[in-house]
Amino acid sequence: MALVLPACLSLAACGEAGDPGAAYRVVQDGQPGRGRVLLSRYQCGSCHAIPGAVSHSIKVGPSLDGFGRRSYIAGKIPNGSQNLQRWLQDPKALVPATTMPDVGVSPDDARDLAAYLLSLT
């Protein structure tokens, strides 16, 4: 019995499929498929190259490929569900000098956009 508990605890610390970063990519009630569709509504592809989304050839912002593996948003804010949703709704509140525009993302849309972006691994 004494050996079973440490083994269980070590497995639980690993996250799903041994991915220690999986927990921060979980967006409660997020719908990644809806988030992918919303990318065009908010014209995110105008500035970013995004897997699975229509985008233009001139990019002002970075590619969002592999976004779910990134440690930081805009190089300054720890990446994760809550911070990403706040960033999508009001980027200048988090990084005043950012070039990321406030495009009027609602809380529900931010949740689903975050679910999609964090799924990009």
Side-chain angles (χ1 to χ4, degrees), residues 48-65:
H48 300 279
I50 309 166
V54 175
S55 56
H56 302 288
S57 59
I58 298 173
K59 301 294 168 236
V60 176
S63 170
L64 299 180
D65 188 32

Side-chain angles (χ1 to χ4, degrees), residues 43-90:
Q43 300 180 12
C44 302
S46 296
C47 296
H48 300 279
I50 309 166
V54 175
S55 56
H56 302 288
S57 59
I58 298 173
K59 301 294 168 236
V60 176
S63 170
L64 299 180
D65 188 32
F67 187 87
R69 292 189 313 262
R70 294 185 187 170
S71 298
Y72 293 94
I73 301 164
K76 299 184 185 291
I77 305 153
N79 196 6
S81 174
Q82 295 300 313
N83 281 346
L84 181 54
Q85 290 177 65
R86 287 179 54 217
W87 169 257
L88 292 167
Q89 292 176 77
D90 191 1

Side-chain angles (χ1 to χ4, degrees), residues 30-41:
Q31 299 177 35
R34 182 173 180 271
R36 185 180 59 76
V37 171
L38 288 170
L39 291 169
S40 62
R41 175 177 170 193

